[in-house]
Amino acid sequence: MQQTTIAPLLNNASIAAERLVSVLRIAVTLGLFTVFVVTVAGLDFSTLAPFLHRQLLFAVLTMFAYLMLGVVTFAATTLGWFRPWMSWFSVTADCGFLLFNVWFSLENSSYPGGVALLLPPAWLVPLVLAYGVMRMDPRLQLYTTVLLSAGLGGLIFWPDDRLDVGQLGILHSVLDTPANVMKLTMILLAGLVMVLAAARMRRLFYRELEAADARANLTRYLPAQVADQLADGGLLALQQGQRQPMAVMFVDIRGFTQWSETRDPQEVGDFITAFRNEVEDSAARHDGMIDKYMGDAAMLLFDDAPVAMGQPNGAARALACAATLSEAIHRWSDRRVAAGEPVVEIGIGVHAGEVFSGVVGNAARLEYSVFGDAVNTASRLEQHSKTVPQIIIASAATLTVAGIEPSRQRWVALPPVTLRGRSKVIEIYGREG
């Protein structure tokens, strides 16, 4: 995939991740504030030490500031102001809030740096690291890990002459240098693991984008079903081709050439677009494959692959699609007539038989092709529909393969014909739309 194609997708993913992080900031802050209110509701503030008054006030101000960071980031990502590079400032803000809170708690309480990892602000370290994983950017994750580890390490081991750690009695064992080194090591290792997780998530996401882009590019030139196989690495098998049973359907607009000669090009283009929309909708309803468009005509294919999923075989789906398309064109024609436009009439030919199918060409230019007598017969049947009152013509073999009894589904036996290019007579049936 070209970088010019994938870059916008990655940028959109980064902005979406940042929006999610902003929502989590808001949710976490509101949750902490709720717990804070419930916790301090029963306190007698007159009995609290001055440093606790400062600590409570600072906690409220900090939560409000963090809430505003979440709100501003959410607004920026929602309104389209946010750019992916701004995530570096967002990450710095997350780490800065945490480290500043730990520092203030130490300064306000005169605790030694050894207790830094025991203070409530430090408990948010896993949350800040988790934010980085959501961004799926190993660079941001590594930056977060280094910033938190260096900042907390500086606070823990910054020399000071305040309260001796040994005076804290039984807490001495968890506050001395070896214990704090272990805590920092655990944070560093956890952060590095998350760096690898973010890198893996990004690679997987990148591959999915590549596959999606490959399918999108291929479907511009190939049927969607074939494009999926190619995107999954099946080019060699498709180039080798195969013989398989398949139902082929041709549809053509009657009198289009004469009508288009007197029309504006824009009107002709809109007309063809509307026609193809009806063809695509009908094909999608019956799991048909649009092989190609030829001006005002189309060729559709119906293989037996969906049978394993409990769907009818290709011949039955082709006949059902023909009926659906005929009805759709009839409704479209009625709307046009009501608007003062000429009626739209079509002819459809359907035949089921063995075909050769495969992809020809190279990676630079691929084309899915279907060859065989079944294709030629379906095309001749569509042309023969111009000579009979019925809109849809199908060979008797097609109805047999589909398991249809003609008399029960409004099929009318037509005089057998010898189609152009064939020496044998073929039995055919016709049906109104």
Side-chain angles (χ1 to χ4, degrees):
M1 179 187 296
Q2 296 180 352
Q3 291 297 324
T4 54
T5 302
I6 195 173
L9 298 176
L10 288 175
N11 288 344
N12 291 338
S14 299
I15 294 173
E18 200 63 51
R19 184 183 299 113
L20 177 59
V21 170
S22 68
V23 171
L24 292 176
R25 283 197 197 99
I26 296 172
V28 168
T29 305
L30 293 177
L32 290 175
F33 184 75
T34 301
V35 173
F36 175 81
V37 171
V38 173
T39 303
V40 303
L43 294 179
D44 183 0
F45 288 90
S46 62
T47 62
L48 297 179
F51 84 93
L52 290 178
H53 281 273
R54 293 192 299 271
Q55 192 71 39
L56 293 176
L57 177 61
F58 180 76
V60 172
L61 294 175
T62 300
M63 284 187 285
F64 177 76
Y66 201 60
L67 177 65
M68 289 298 99
L69 175 63
V71 170
V72 170
T73 306
F74 180 80
T77 54
T78 303
L79 297 175
W81 301 337
F82 195 89
R83 298 293 179 269
W85 57 266
M86 296 180 183
S87 293
W88 292 93
F89 294 98
S90 180
V91 168
T92 303
D94 283 327
C95 296
F97 267 103
L98 189 151
L99 295 173
F100 185 75
N101 270 271
V102 174
W103 171 82
F104 181 85
S105 297
L106 292 174
E107 286 296 315
N108 185 53
S109 61
S110 297
Y111 286 155
V115 304
L117 296 180
L118 297 179
L119 298 175
W123 302 344
L124 296 176
V125 168
L127 185 65
V128 175
L129 290 174
Y131 287 165
V133 175
M134 292 180 183
R135 294 182 175 100
M136 295 188 299
D137 191 333
R139 299 169 303 169
L140 287 171
Q141 187 66 45
L142 181 61
Y143 174 68
T144 302
T145 301
V146 172
L147 193 58
L148 287 178
S149 300
L152 290 173
L155 292 173
I156 291 172
F157 301 113
W158 191 266
D160 59 63
D161 55 358
R162 292 178 292 188
L163 180 65
D164 180 40
V165 175
Q167 296 177 13
L168 298 180
I170 60 174
L171 294 179
H172 181 273
S173 62
V174 297
L175 299 179
D176 59 9
T177 297
N180 281 317
V181 169
M182 288 300 297
K183 295 170 192 172
L184 274 178
T185 302
M186 292 172 64
I187 291 174
L188 181 61
L189 291 176
L192 293 176
V193 169
M194 290 185 181
V195 170
L196 296 178
R200 178 172 175 77
M201 290 175 63
R202 192 175 184 86
R203 283 198 304 272
L204 292 174
F205 183 65
Y206 189 92
R207 290 173 184 171
E208 286 299 317
L209 289 178
E210 284 186 319
D213 187 71
R215 288 184 176 89
N217 287 331
L218 288 171
T219 51
R220 298 175 185 174
Y221 312 102
L222 300 172
Q225 295 90 331
V226 178
D228 286 341
Q229 298 180 51
L230 286 175
D232 292 335
L235 176 58
L236 181 59
L238 288 172
Q239 284 181 321
Q240 293 175 348
Q242 61 177 332
R243 292 189 178 277
Q244 63 180 118
M246 187 174 288
V248 184
M249 180 180 116
F250 277 85
V251 56
D252 181 63
I253 300 176
R254 298 288 175 255
F256 173 77
T257 301
Q258 183 179 0
W259 172 85
S260 62
E261 288 177 351
T262 60
R263 300 287 172 163
D264 180 83
Q266 181 64 51
E267 183 180 359
V268 175
D270 292 342
F271 179 87
I272 290 297
T273 298
F275 167 69
R276 292 184 177 182
N277 288 339
E278 299 292 352
V279 172
E280 290 169 9
D281 290 343
S282 299
R285 286 184 56 182
H286 300 283
D287 202 13
M289 182 189 309
I290 300 175
D291 179 73
K292 61 175 64 71
Y293 288 108
M294 299 152 286
D296 62 322
M299 173 181 169
L300 285 71
L301 306 173
F302 300 81
D303 61 24
D304 288 341
V307 173
M309 303 173 61
Q311 296 188 38
N313 62 25
R317 298 198 325 277
L319 295 174
C321 180
T324 298
L325 178 58
S326 177
E327 294 168 2
I329 296 297
H330 182 73
R331 291 192 297 268
W332 175 43
S333 178
D334 285 345
R335 294 193 299 270
R336 286 178 53 83
V337 170
E341 296 292 337
V343 67
V344 180
E345 296 180 345
I346 61 171
I348 298 176
V350 183
H351 181 68
E354 187 179 73
V355 301
F356 172 85
S357 64
V359 170
V360 296
N362 52 37
R365 182 175 179 82
L366 297 172
E367 181 180 353
Y368 180 72
S369 297
V370 176
F371 309 97
D373 183 64
V375 177
N376 297 329
T377 300
S379 176
R380 302 292 188 268
L381 289 176
E382 180 274 313
Q383 294 175 11
H384 187 69
S385 69
K386 301 175 184 179
T387 66
V388 298
Q390 288 77 15
I391 295 175
I392 306 170
I393 292 183
S395 63
T398 304
L399 271 64
T400 300
V401 174
I404 292 177
E405 295 185 24
S407 60
R408 293 187 177 183
Q409 296 195 22
R410 297 185 298 161
W411 288 93
V412 179
L414 300 176
V417 295
T418 302
L419 299 176
R420 182 167 57 87
R422 298 190 55 157
S423 59
K424 295 183 179 180
V425 174
I426 180 173
E427 296 183 10
I428 59 174
Y429 287 83
R431 179 182 174 182
E432 290 292 342

